[in-house]
Amino acid sequence: MVEGNNPEKIQEMKIDREWLQKVQDFYADISGLFLFAIDKQGRQITDISGRDIRETARIADLINKNQVEDLFRRVMYTRLEEQIIENTEYSNMKLAAVAVKVKSEAIMCFMIAGVYKAQDGENAILNMRSVVDEKVFFGGIDYVREIFDKVYSSEYRILSENKAEERALVEENEIRENLSKTESLNEIVQLLDSDESYEKICDKVVKIAAGAAHISHCYVIQRGRYDNTIEALGKYRSESSDPIIEKVNPVEVLKYAGKVGDKPMVVSSRTEIDYDFRLWIGALGIIAFVALPVFRTKPSKEVSNYLIFADNDPKKVWTRDDIKFFGEISKVLQSIFDRHIHKLSIVASYNALTFVLNNVGSAIFVKDIQTGQLLFKNRSFEKGFAEEIAKGTIQDIFGEEEDDLSEDKRGDSFEMSLEDGERWYDVNKTPMQWVDGRNVLLFSIYDITDKKLYQKKIEQQANSDYLTGLYNRMNCEKDLSTHIEECRKDGKKACLLYLDLDDFKHINDGLGHQYGDELLKTISGKINEIEGIKNSCYRMGGDEFIAIIPPDHYEEKPKILETIREMFNSPWYLKGGDYYCTSSIGVVDFPDSDDNVQEIIKKADIAMYESKRSGKNRTTYYKKQDEDAASYRLDMEKNMRNATFGAIREFEIFYQPIIDVSKGNVCTGAEALLRWNSKSMGFLTPGEFIPLAEYLGLINPIGNYILMKACSDCKKWNESGHPYYKVNVNLSVVQLLQNDIVGVIEKTINETGINPRNLVIEVTESLAINDIDKMKKILFGIKALGCRIALDDFGTGYSSLNHIRELPIDLIKVDQTFVTDLVTDPYAQSFIKMVGELASSLNVKICVEGIESREQKEILDKLNVNLIQGFFYDQPMKKEEFEAKYVNNCIGVADFKAIGLISTGEE
């Protein structure tokens, strides 16, 4: 499970500066880099480290403080950049900022400086022994981020686990304390039947009470037979505490007893009381105490004794449970006192007992051991078990008990539940002699339903995803392990499905995270309702889910997969409209001979990525050779990150000419097509790396670079005799949904100087209609800059005529899938003819992509097509080839006008 983000736990994390400095010094010594750490508040928490002391001091002076502050703000307070590398005013020194994050929240950052070997004639730092090359510098930055992310993420997990353990321990201690007090109270209640003297009973009561409450002193006192004297009827003090009664001044005791009177007095370490009183009890070594009057009821109600509970703990604060426990003891002691003073008859004793037990905080009933007859029920019992009493099922609930009164059978305790776990009780049964001499069992019952529900809630939080309610990763791994063992034991098969939502980030960025959360909850509910995988669905984190098809439903796998596929082919209703969000699925059967939990999840993840790489919205079964592809993907990811944050010029632009067939087959410009010429992996096509770039969030820096380069090239063509040449640039979904995309394009236009009418922004049809209101706002903003808009891949989406009319488009580009069978397929011809007529009615142009043969070209000549793009004219080529063929050796504007292909003022 990926655990949700808890700011309280992250705030509790402490950075060990001494340890951090040692690790930093060690790493600087072995790497040759210079680095120091800054905490979240912007305070430098380590000294700068380097291999040589003098060189380190020198670099510390040369680092620009303003640059450090700027880098710090960017990596710590935005989510767009986790690490930044910049040049400095010195030609051979670079400065990087690396954020260390826990659960996507930055907790600190490192500033890392690297000095390269100086070149003659530059503004360089000279005479340095601690120099590194580019590979060491970039590798060092990656290492720092990865190692400290892991260290503090591990600390976060440990902190979370410790918190859960602490809560469980507190809960367990509370239950034990209540059980101990219940048992003690039962033991005191049994003294009601004792024939011993009142003084001996008081002595037992204070010992039992002090032991259960864990206090240092407990007394029962009364006025002495003579004036200004007191007597201790029962006294207890712990071995480590000083005596009180033996050294106290009776006059002082009687003085302050007057303050108690017939009302309870509760004093803790924080209670504000009379200064002299606090001084007096402090001199006795007492910090906190509770004084309760014990009354005699006949012949009139008056205070006969005081029950004193005291403790010498400097921080002692009484709890409600403590006060309640003390109060119940005082009530029992009062009954004992009355019985011994007035020699009550059996009936009187029973009435006193009834009164006491009706006022204690637990349900109590007494039954005859031999006959099973219920002899007594207090009010709490009658209220709590009214239905069972009416049905006569009490005996069935509590069972038949033996009539053994031996010491080892006393205080038998257990938990029980009723109504399928809806009500929980803590039951304590004690054998005793009843008022009439019969052997009975006294049951005291505490309702612990609230505590059980709380425990269940804690367990559920530990095993479930807080947002969707599905089981989490931890529960998934536990259940998967169980299924593996079951399959191996019974010789059966099961299946694991790994689902990853396609382009979920666009929903989050476009509609807001609250709607992204709603979509996750909706999808979770739908998946968990599918027959065969109910209660076997898990959220692994983010937009990733796992469903396990157990052995009993393995044969239903095709039906389950088809149900999931149909579910994702339908739109989701969000924010008042329909939105499409599909899923890529990886499938793996298990177990094989060497399969374990992690291996099975890894295989399913590999298969899922193959679905992503193959175009998304599909299902892929795991194959052994896919592991090689996964390794290849990791290499590609590493090289792409290095290329994006380093030599971004590894990404090249190829240009494919766009031909205007309505004006004599003349070139009107080109579409800029991205290629990656990796130093490590060779030449890669967009289909190989664009999905990964979008998945990793690297498409923005790559796309912005391509936009800038394409505009610069077009500006050059315009100034070389072709002022009407245009360049078409594709914007990815991620780029287009940037909040500042209009500003990015405007900045590019201003910096390159291109005529905005010569820049054509291409957007795919499916993206343009997925959030029509948001897209209209973005496209009208781009249009306001003077740029042209092209609707790309037309025919592959779900657009309607109304949607197309609402968009400020200048060009419709028909997807090449409609061209493949153009010569023989009447539908393809009719479709292009229809689009041509549509474009004409909307006063926009139409461009058909993928034309490769003369036969295709001749058919298009009859179908009202303006522009053609394809291998029939030329394939994508490097800039130098394009310029040699279509710029330098191609007729210019004046020539076009001379032959009548362009009129004055026409583009």
Side-chain angles (χ1 to χ4, degrees):
M1 168 192 112
V2 177
E3 184 179 305
N5 188 356
N6 192 327
E8 293 181 358
K9 295 191 182 72
I10 294 176
Q11 290 297 328
E12 292 176 18
M13 294 176 61
K14 295 182 180 179
I15 297 174
D16 188 335
R17 297 189 181 185
E18 182 178 352
W19 173 85
L20 188 61
Q21 185 72 57
K22 289 180 180 179
V23 174
Q24 178 185 293
D25 291 344
F26 174 75
Y27 184 67
D29 187 55
I30 63 172
S31 66
L33 299 174
F34 301 89
L35 64 161
F36 60 91
I38 303 175
D39 67 11
K40 192 171 184 178
Q41 287 71 40
R43 299 171 298 200
Q44 183 173 336
I45 57 176
T46 61
D47 297 329
I48 186 169
S49 301
R51 185 176 288 167
D52 181 271
I53 294 177
R54 294 183 179 178
E55 291 184 351
T56 302
R58 183 181 178 192
I59 293 300
D61 292 336
L62 295 178
I63 291 176
N64 188 304
K65 302 301 185 294
N66 293 330
Q67 187 177 15
V68 168
E69 292 178 2
D70 178 64
L71 291 174
F72 171 81
R73 284 193 298 270
R74 287 164 60 189
V75 299
M76 293 296 285
Y77 300 138
T78 69
R79 296 182 178 272
L80 298 179
E81 299 174 295
E82 293 184 352
Q83 63 183 38
I84 305 173
I85 303 169
E86 288 188 349
N87 294 325
T88 65
E89 57 190 285
Y90 303 99
S91 61
N92 64 329
M93 184 171 80
K94 290 183 181 293
L95 184 62
V98 179
V100 177
K101 294 190 173 184
V102 173
K103 293 291 182 183
S104 301
E105 181 171 342
I107 63 169
M108 60 181 290
C109 81
F110 280 95
M111 294 293 167
I112 306 175
V115 180
Y116 292 7
K117 185 176 180 180
Q119 302 295 325
D120 294 337
E122 297 179 341
N123 178 26
I125 303 172
L126 304 177
N127 301 321
M128 293 287 290
R129 290 184 298 171
S130 299
V131 294
V132 297
D133 58 23
E134 188 175 82
K135 181 177 181 181
V136 171
F137 181 64
F138 286 102
I141 294 170
D142 288 342
Y143 181 82
V144 168
R145 178 172 54 81
E146 291 172 2
I147 194 66
F148 284 101
D149 277 354
K150 290 179 180 178
V151 168
Y152 288 106
S153 292
S154 297
E155 182 178 337
Y156 174 83
R157 286 194 298 272
I158 293 170
L159 183 61
S160 299
E161 292 168 358
N162 289 343
K163 285 292 183 183
E165 291 175 358
E166 289 174 8
R167 287 195 297 270
L169 184 59
V170 169
E171 185 70 20
E172 182 179 351
N173 287 338
E174 286 182 0
I175 293 174
R176 287 178 177 172
E177 284 291 321
N178 285 336
L179 181 59
S180 174
K181 289 176 180 176
T182 300
E183 293 173 345
S184 299
L185 186 59
N186 286 336
E187 194 173 351
I188 293 173
V189 168
Q190 292 179 60
L191 296 175
L192 282 165
D193 200 44
S194 174
D195 291 325
E196 295 178 307
S197 67
Y198 183 62
E199 288 77 4
K200 288 184 177 180
I201 291 176
C202 287
D203 220 37
K204 289 184 177 181
V205 167
V206 296
K207 287 181 174 62
I208 295 170
H214 308 294
I215 56 177
S216 61
H217 298 81
C218 188
Y219 300 97
V220 177
I221 63 173
Q222 66 178 16
R223 291 180 178 271
R225 299 175 184 177
Y226 307 102
D227 292 342
N228 296 327
T229 61
I230 59 172
E231 293 179 25
L233 304 178
K235 56 184 177 180
Y236 167 84
R237 67 179 178 87
S238 63
E239 294 180 359
S240 60
S241 60
D242 294 327
I244 294 179
I245 293 297
E246 291 80 353
K247 67 177 183 180
V248 74
N249 185 339
V251 175
E252 295 283 309
V253 173
L254 294 173
K255 169 186 174 184
Y256 290 113
K259 291 180 175 290
V260 176
D262 59 355
K263 304 292 183 183
M265 175 178 282
V266 179
V267 176
S268 69
S269 59
R270 297 187 299 206
T271 305
E272 294 185 4
I273 57 174
D274 180 77
Y275 175 78
D276 291 335
F277 188 24
R278 174 65 75 182
L279 198 64
W280 178 68
I281 64 173
L284 298 175
I286 295 300
I287 302 299
F289 76 94
V290 175
L292 298 174
V294 178
F295 299 94
R296 65 180 175 195
T297 57
K298 292 183 179 181
S300 61
K301 185 177 181 180
E302 62 182 37
V303 177
S304 60
N305 313 139
Y306 288 98
L307 185 55
I308 309 295
F309 305 89
D311 198 52
N312 54 14
D313 183 354
K315 298 180 180 179
K316 184 67 176 181
V317 176
W318 304 112
T319 67
R320 290 185 177 180
D321 286 343
D322 290 332
I323 304 303
K324 182 179 178 182
F325 177 58
F326 297 156
E328 290 171 348
I329 292 175
S330 71
K331 292 175 183 177
V332 176
L333 189 61
Q334 178 177 311
S335 296
I336 293 172
F337 179 81
D338 280 343
R339 182 179 184 276
H340 281 265
I341 295 298
H342 301 289
K343 306 293 185 182
L344 294 176
S345 65
I346 292 178
V347 175
S349 297
Y350 184 82
N351 290 338
L353 178 61
T354 301
F355 173 79
V356 171
L357 297 183
N358 275 333
N359 286 279
V360 298
S362 61
I364 291 178
F365 80 92
V366 178
K367 74 172 184 176
D368 190 304
I369 288 179
Q370 296 203 357
T371 66
Q373 178 186 359
L374 264 64
L375 303 179
F376 173 82
K377 306 181 293 291
N378 74 348
R379 281 197 297 262
S380 295
F381 184 84
E382 290 176 337
K383 181 178 179 182
F385 295 90
E387 184 177 346
E388 288 78 11
I389 293 172
K391 292 180 179 179
T393 58
I394 288 294
Q395 297 289 4
D396 298 332
I397 295 173
F398 293 98
E400 297 297 330
E401 307 294 340
E402 66 280 0
D403 56 354
D404 187 352
L405 294 179
S406 58
E407 287 295 325
D408 60 337
K409 293 293 182 181
R410 295 178 180 271
D412 188 9
S413 300
F414 58 92
E415 286 184 357
M416 59 172 288
S417 66
L418 299 179
E419 299 174 4
D420 297 326
E422 292 296 322
R423 294 157 56 194
W424 280 88
Y425 298 96
D426 182 20
V427 181
N428 183 274
K429 64 179 182 5
T430 305
M432 61 178 289
Q433 279 195 331
W434 194 231
V435 290
D436 59 1
R438 282 187 284 182
N439 292 327
V440 299
L441 280 172
L442 183 144
F443 287 79
S444 57
I445 306 163
Y446 276 87
D447 189 331
I448 57 171
T449 303
D450 290 342
K451 290 186 178 180
K452 281 291 183 180
L453 292 176
Y454 179 73
Q455 288 177 335
K456 183 178 180 181
K457 180 180 178 182
I458 293 298
E459 291 173 2
Q460 184 177 8
Q461 289 175 347
N463 291 285
S464 301
D465 174 59
Y466 74 97
L467 176 64
T468 64
L470 295 180
Y471 295 127
N472 59 17
R473 173 183 287 272
M474 182 177 69
N475 222 32
C476 173
E477 294 177 354
K478 181 176 67 176
D479 291 351
L480 181 56
S481 177
T482 301
H483 285 305
I484 294 172
E485 293 178 8
E486 178 186 348
C487 288
R488 285 182 175 149
K489 178 182 177 182
D490 301 334
K492 295 182 179 180
K493 280 282 188 181
C495 181
L496 185 141
L497 315 179
Y498 203 119
L499 294 80
D500 186 279
L501 304 186
D502 299 327
D503 302 322
F504 175 71
K505 185 176 186 297
H506 307 158
I507 298 290
N508 260 348
D509 293 345
L511 301 182
H513 287 276
Q514 67 272 32
Y515 291 101
D517 289 347
E518 284 301 316
L519 178 59
L520 289 175
K521 289 190 283 188
T522 301
I523 290 174
S524 299
K526 292 282 188 182
I527 294 175
N528 208 35
E529 290 174 355
I530 297 174
E531 290 294 335
I533 56 174
K534 283 184 177 179
N535 299 318
S536 294
C537 299
Y538 312 85
R539 184 185 179 204
M540 303 302 281
D543 58 353
E544 296 181 351
F545 301 86
I546 277 181
I548 298 176
I549 303 177
D552 293 343
H553 296 278
Y554 179 73
E555 298 302 325
E556 302 171 33
K557 178 172 64 174
K559 180 181 177 182
I560 293 171
L561 286 170
E562 181 61 28
T563 303
I564 295 174
R565 190 177 299 110
E566 291 175 357
M567 182 181 78
F568 281 104
N569 283 337
S570 301
W572 306 95
Y573 188 76
L574 294 171
K575 203 178 181 180
D578 289 338
Y579 293 85
Y580 286 87
C581 181
T582 57
S583 174
S584 296
I585 304 174
V587 182
V588 61
D589 291 338
F590 66 87
D592 286 337
S593 58
D594 59 344
D595 274 346
N596 56 38
V597 169
Q598 299 304 327
E599 192 69 23
I600 292 171
I601 294 176
K602 175 186 173 184
K603 288 178 179 179
D605 185 36
I606 290 171
M608 180 273 294
Y609 181 75
E610 282 302 306
S611 294
K612 291 277 188 190
R613 196 173 66 86
S614 302
K616 304 177 183 177
N617 191 25
R618 61 194 64 211
T619 300
T620 302
Y621 285 81
Y622 169 78
K623 300 182 292 295
K624 178 67 176 177
Q625 53 266 37
D626 289 342
E627 290 205 33
D628 297 331
S631 177
Y632 179 76
R633 180 187 69 165
L634 290 175
D635 289 341
M636 185 186 294
E637 179 178 336
K638 177 183 177 183
N639 284 284
M640 182 177 290
R641 291 188 186 278
N642 291 337
T644 303
F645 294 111
I648 201 169
R649 290 176 178 80
E650 284 189 4
F651 296 97
E652 300 178 0
I653 303 179
F654 277 47
Y655 293 101
Q656 185 174 33
I658 300 175
I659 306 301
D660 191 337
V661 295
S662 68
K663 295 183 179 179
N665 297 331
V666 296
C667 177
T668 63
E671 180 178 357
L673 300 169
L674 178 62
R675 301 290 187 270
W676 181 17
N677 190 7
S678 171
K679 291 180 180 179
S680 302
M681 306 186 71
F683 195 82
L684 300 171
T685 61
E688 293 179 274
F689 68 86
I690 287 294
L692 182 60
E694 290 181 338
Y695 184 75
L696 298 174
L698 301 176
I699 196 66
N700 284 340
I702 297 173
N704 293 344
Y705 168 75
I706 298 306
L707 177 64
M708 181 70 73
K709 190 74 172 61
C711 288
S712 298
D713 290 343
C714 186
K715 170 66 173 176
K716 177 183 175 183
W717 304 337
N718 297 154
E719 294 175 344
S720 301
H722 302 278
Y724 303 130
Y725 266 19
K726 301 172 182 60
V727 65
N728 290 33
V729 179
N730 290 277
L731 289 190
S732 74
V733 180
V734 179
Q735 282 181 281
L736 203 59
L737 290 177
Q738 293 180 93
N739 292 330
D740 61 341
I741 183 61
V742 177
V744 170
I745 296 174
E746 182 178 21
K747 179 182 178 183
T748 303
I749 293 172
N750 293 336
E751 291 185 3
T752 60
I754 188 176
N755 184 341
R757 293 183 62 80
N758 290 339
L759 174 59
V760 182
I761 300 297
E762 293 192 10
V763 298
T764 61
E765 177 194 12
S766 58
L767 171 63
I769 61 127
N770 202 18
D771 186 348
I772 190 69
D773 293 331
K774 182 177 181 66
M775 202 49 57
K776 281 169 59 180
K777 181 179 179 181
I778 293 172
L779 295 181
F780 273 106
I782 296 174
K783 185 75 173 177
L785 299 176
C787 303
R788 296 170 183 265
I789 307 294
L791 190 63
D792 196 14
D793 297 338
F794 185 78
T796 61
Y798 305 90
S799 58
S800 67
L801 180 61
N802 286 336
H803 284 155
I804 294 176
R805 293 177 61 184
E806 293 177 22
L807 299 174
I809 59 175
D810 302 280
L811 177 66
I812 295 176
K813 298 189 74 175
V814 178
D815 188 72
Q816 60 185 353
T817 56
F818 292 94
V819 176
T820 305
D821 300 320
L822 180 63
V823 176
T824 58
D825 186 2
Y827 171 77
Q829 297 174 18
S830 299
F831 178 78
I832 293 178
K833 181 180 179 182
M834 179 272 294
V835 176
E837 293 172 352
L838 172 64
S840 178
S841 67
L842 295 176
N843 197 27
V844 301
K845 291 186 177 183
I846 176 176
C847 176
V848 180
E849 300 178 291
I851 300 301
E852 298 182 355
S853 68
R854 181 172 298 281
E855 290 81 1
Q856 293 173 328
K857 162 68 169 58
E858 290 173 351
I859 291 175
L860 291 181
D861 288 341
K862 307 171 186 177
L863 299 179
N864 198 25
V865 173
N866 310 108
L867 305 170
I868 290 179
Q869 183 179 345
F871 282 15
F872 177 70
Y873 288 102
D874 243 326
Q875 62 185 358
M877 61 191 74
K878 289 189 175 183
K879 181 186 78 168
E880 293 78 13
E881 296 177 43
F882 178 82
E883 291 179 347
K885 190 171 183 178
Y886 293 97
V887 179
N888 301 332
N889 295 324
C890 190
I891 60 177
V893 178
D895 300 304
F896 286 141
K897 289 181 178 179
I899 62 177
L901 293 179
I902 297 180
S903 59
T904 303
E906 182 184 10
E907 294 187 21

